[in-house]
Amino acid sequence: MSRARSGLTLGEMLVALAVLLVFAAITIPIFNRAKSKSLSDSDVSNLKRIYGAWSIYEESNLGPPPDLTVLRQDFGSDATFLSPKDPFASQAGPFPLEPALPSWKPRTDFRISYSYFMNFAAAGKLAQPKWEEARLDRRIGILASVWEGSAQGDGSPFGAQFSGKALRVNLDGSMIPASMDGGDLGKALFGRK
């Protein structure tokens, strides 16, 4: 009568380990993509909500809001103004109104992750069109998330150089990817398509 063997042989352990490694190699990228998509979906949702409030303001006042702080009263919390991809979102204010314009002086007591056309115009980084004429050109970008790409700099949110992709909202509410590589950031985010 043969004795029942106890434990696994080295070969069996190696096979089991190989199966686990293959399983991990397949599933980890899938989870990473799902996480990235959920973060992008949050960004899209935030930008849509801000655009909705922006549109109501623009229709009621026959012109765009001077900056995004005037829309703050339309939301129950400030979370809508924070991109889930913004690495500085947890820091307290005051912050410049425009994360992509580090030298711009106007400040707010709460964090805004998104870039806004009128802030670039007010800072002299972009020509401000006559608004009646601009309404006819639906390709003008008004809002953008610069955090789809990458921010590199001195460790502060507003000493950063942005590169890679951005998510841009046009005047008609449509969203398109924009490239921040090489050239004027204002034009990349808010110029014509």
Side-chain angles (χ1 to χ4, degrees), residues 37-187:
K37 182 166 174 25
S38 71
L39 290 174
S40 290
D41 288 348
S42 296
D43 235 7
V44 168
S45 174
N46 286 349
L47 288 170
K48 282 182 179 177
R49 289 189 69 205
I50 294 170
Y51 176 79
W54 183 95
S55 298
I56 292 169
Y57 182 100
E58 196 257 350
E59 289 294 326
S60 302
N61 295 281
L62 303 176
D67 56 62
L68 297 181
T69 59
V70 300
L71 303 178
R72 191 180 186 193
Q73 65 191 10
D74 296 334
F75 301 98
S77 78
D78 294 335
T80 302
F81 293 94
L82 297 174
S83 169
K85 291 186 174 181
D86 180 349
F88 307 101
S90 63
Q91 296 182 9
F95 287 99
L97 286 172
E98 179 50 66
L101 293 173
S103 61
W104 202 38
K105 291 187 175 60
R107 292 183 173 267
T108 175
D109 62 347
F110 76 110
R111 174 83 174 126
I112 297 175
S113 296
Y114 302 114
S115 297
Y116 178 44
F117 172 88
M118 292 298 287
N119 291 357
F120 272 73
K125 302 289 184 184
L126 209 61
Q128 185 170 342
K130 293 181 181 164
W131 203 245
E132 299 77 26
E133 295 170 18
R135 289 296 285 139
L136 301 175
D137 189 347
R138 297 285 188 182
R139 296 169 299 169
I140 292 178
I142 56 166
L143 285 168
S145 173
V146 295
W147 308 103
E148 295 289 312
S150 64
Q152 297 174 346
D154 60 6
S156 71
F158 306 109
Q161 296 294 315
F162 297 96
S163 63
K165 293 178 184 176
L167 186 60
R168 189 177 106 182
V169 184
N170 289 336
L171 196 57
D172 63 356
S174 61
M175 289 194 191
I176 63 165
S179 172
M180 299 184 288
D181 294 323
D184 182 11
L185 183 60
K187 259 191 178 170

Side-chain angles (χ1 to χ4, degrees), residues 10 35 84 110 123 177:
L10 179 61
K35 181 180 177 187
F110 76 110

